[in-house]
Amino acid sequence: MPKSMTAEKQASRQAGFQLVASLLDALDRPLLVSDRRGQILFTNLHAQDSLQAQGLDAKPDLNLFRDVLHADRKTVLAQLEGGEQEVHLALETAEGPTRARVRWLPEPDWLAVFVEPAPAEPPADEAEMRQKVQDLIQEREITYRNLLAAYLRLQEANRQKTVFLASAAHELKTPLAVMKGYYELLLSGSLGKVSEKQREILRESKESCDRLVRLVSMFLNYSALESGKLVLQFRENDLRDCINDLAGRWKDAFQRAEVHLDINIDPSLPLFRFDYQKVQQCIVNLVDNALKHTPAGGRVMLHAGPHFWERRLAEASPLEERRRGAGHPPNSILITVTDTGTGIAAEFHQEIFEEFVRVDPSSSGMGLGLAITKRLIQAHRGKVWVDSEMGRGSSFSFLLPIYVE
């Protein structure tokens, strides 16, 4: 190879070394490069200044491990060759506490040492605060898991309760139906003449049996609602027939309680789609509730008629809604049961529609009638509410939308 070509390569290599050296000198922290024995091969300007400040630049046999890192060479090499990417060593320099990050470069078998300020230790109170926060987070997670487990146990207990109620109601349904049939047969006189005293006893027994039948029906509907298995049978029905049917069955109960029942059905009621049995049960629940809380000599009024249900909009005022709906045809049916009983305090107007809630603990019942009524009406996409004041009676109302196919 000509001498001119060798000189050019050497000059190019020297220029490359100078370029790399100038780039390393631009680093803002000391950098030292040594071989695995600790002989220092290169230092950038910051490293040279640091060695000079410590009086180490004049040592002819300067060793990286012995004089700079003050660490055992074999220990550091064993950690690097064992798989660790870096070894961190604490140092004391003229600038104060620092940290050396030793990294192994396998291909040239060199060690690169970066010297940087030691990470600041958090204050004692801050470390204590962090520990407290960690403890609180861990405690919260444990509490959450315990609450979740308790919730799942309660859900399972509630499911078992619902299954038990449904099973008990089914077991009672058949014998009660047989008893009711026998009472009706005896009262009809088909099995022989019945005296007036016997007839009175049979009527009271039949009334108790009817009350048990309604209670069983409530349990069955409640279990169906709780389990999500309620299926509504929407058919085109006549609400007048529905109300007149139940009025005939409740006539004797009102006479014995000496409470007058007024029924007012608008003759313009249209035929519309609803579940006959479920709506009748809702009306029965309200009538039964009114009868229980109305003293002798009182009055219960049942009204049913067409109604325009105003679906209020958030951006429209109530006055604008009334004006816009004044000329609209009815889109729902309003059923109202009003009594002249003791009334209900305003603070209970929402609670009475919840399960097992009874405003008057001395009254009979399980506190399920109004709760079931609310859920059945909501299943019809309707709504139910109460207007009442203490000493002025109560008025329970619900709306049923008119479904048009």
Side-chain angles (χ1 to χ4, degrees):
M1 181 178 294
K3 291 185 178 181
S4 59
M5 292 292 292
T6 302
E8 288 178 3
K9 285 186 178 181
Q10 290 178 349
S12 176
R13 184 177 300 173
Q14 188 66 26
F17 286 154
Q18 290 177 355
L19 177 60
V20 173
S22 62
L23 291 174
L24 295 177
D25 286 338
L27 292 175
D28 60 351
R29 61 193 60 186
L31 169 65
L32 300 90
V33 178
S34 76
D35 60 16
R36 64 187 302 111
R37 293 175 301 173
Q39 182 180 355
I40 297 177
L41 305 175
F42 172 80
T43 56
N44 66 355
L45 291 178
H46 286 286
Q48 293 172 15
D49 294 340
S50 178
L51 294 175
Q52 185 177 2
Q54 299 177 62
L56 298 176
D57 59 332
K59 293 188 68 170
D61 57 343
L62 182 66
N63 185 273
L64 174 69
F65 298 101
R66 184 188 65 230
D67 301 317
V68 179
L69 302 179
H70 306 288
D72 181 66
R73 180 179 70 89
K74 293 182 179 180
T75 302
V76 173
L77 292 177
Q79 291 177 348
L80 292 172
E81 293 173 352
E84 294 189 24
Q85 294 183 349
E86 288 184 348
V87 174
H88 295 176
L89 301 172
L91 298 178
E92 285 291 338
T93 61
E95 292 82 8
T98 57
R99 181 179 70 172
R101 294 191 295 114
V102 184
R103 182 175 298 178
W104 179 38
L105 306 177
E107 188 173 344
D109 200 16
W110 289 348
L111 300 176
V113 181
F114 300 89
V115 181
E116 58 188 19
E121 291 292 333
D125 55 347
E126 183 179 343
E128 184 179 354
M129 181 62 69
R130 287 182 180 177
Q131 184 61 40
K132 287 182 178 180
V133 171
Q134 291 294 332
D135 293 342
L136 287 174
I137 293 175
Q138 185 177 5
E139 182 179 352
R140 184 189 66 179
E141 291 178 352
I142 294 174
T143 304
Y144 171 76
R145 288 196 293 269
N146 292 338
L147 286 175
L148 180 59
Y151 172 75
L152 293 176
R153 288 195 298 270
L154 287 174
Q155 287 288 92
E156 177 61 21
N158 185 61
R159 188 192 67 81
Q160 292 179 359
K161 175 204 69 177
T162 303
V163 171
F164 171 76
L165 286 176
S167 300
H170 276 293
E171 292 295 326
L172 290 171
K173 188 176 181 180
T174 300
L176 285 174
V178 174
M179 291 169 59
K180 183 179 178 181
Y182 281 138
Y183 284 130
E184 292 174 350
L185 189 61
L186 290 170
L187 287 170
S188 67
S190 301
L191 299 181
K193 189 177 179 180
V194 178
S195 67
E196 191 59 33
K197 184 63 176 177
Q198 291 172 333
R199 187 176 297 276
E200 183 64 24
I201 293 174
L202 288 172
R203 285 199 188 102
E204 291 181 2
S205 300
K206 180 179 178 296
E207 184 180 344
S208 297
C209 184
D210 289 339
R211 190 158 51 246
L212 282 174
V213 169
R214 290 196 299 271
L215 186 61
V216 167
S217 178
M218 279 188 188
F219 282 146
L220 289 174
N221 281 293
Y222 177 72
S223 62
L225 289 166
E226 283 292 293
S227 60
K229 297 179 180 179
L230 178 70
V231 178
L232 297 180
Q233 303 294 331
F234 282 100
R235 294 186 178 88
E236 190 173 88
N237 294 306
D238 191 341
L239 187 63
R240 287 167 293 195
D241 294 340
C242 180
I243 295 176
N244 290 327
D245 180 26
L246 70 90
R249 289 189 273 118
W250 279 80
K251 182 179 178 181
D252 292 342
F254 273 86
Q255 287 179 350
R256 282 191 296 273
E258 298 180 0
V259 176
H260 186 72
L261 175 62
D262 285 335
I263 297 179
N264 180 16
I265 304 176
D266 194 307
S268 64
L269 273 181
L271 299 178
F272 68 103
R273 291 174 57 80
F274 64 93
D275 188 311
Y276 189 97
Q277 297 296 332
K278 298 299 186 292
V279 170
Q280 189 175 75
Q281 181 182 355
C282 293
I283 300 175
V284 166
N285 290 344
L286 297 184
V287 170
D288 183 29
N289 196 56
L291 179 60
K292 285 191 297 186
H293 295 90
T294 302
R299 184 180 296 271
V300 174
M301 289 76 73
L302 171 58
H303 171 78
H307 181 79
F308 178 74
W309 187 353
E310 298 183 22
R311 305 279 186 166
R312 297 194 184 280
L313 302 176
E315 64 272 12
S317 66
L319 180 59
E320 291 174 348
E321 282 289 321
R322 286 196 292 270
R323 286 176 179 172
R324 185 162 55 241
H328 283 63
N331 61 358
S332 62
I333 303 299
L334 174 64
I335 297 95
T336 303
V337 177
T338 306
D339 63 64
T340 57
T342 55
I344 303 171
E347 59 266 27
F348 296 111
H349 286 187
Q350 297 297 325
E351 293 183 15
I352 58 176
F353 291 103
E354 297 177 4
E355 291 87 349
F356 306 106
V357 172
R358 290 188 298 168
V359 177
D360 184 6
S362 62
S363 65
S364 61
M366 297 293 295
L368 283 175
L370 292 177
I372 292 174
T373 298
K374 179 181 178 180
R375 296 177 70 169
L376 290 177
I377 295 302
Q378 290 177 339
H380 280 78
R381 298 181 180 271
K383 70 173 183 177
V384 61
W385 69 95
V386 62
D387 294 315
S388 181
E389 294 182 19
M390 290 299 297
R392 301 186 63 179
S394 303
S395 179
F396 286 86
S397 304
F398 64 87
L399 283 170
L400 294 175
I402 298 175
Y403 291 94
V404 181
E405 289 186 332

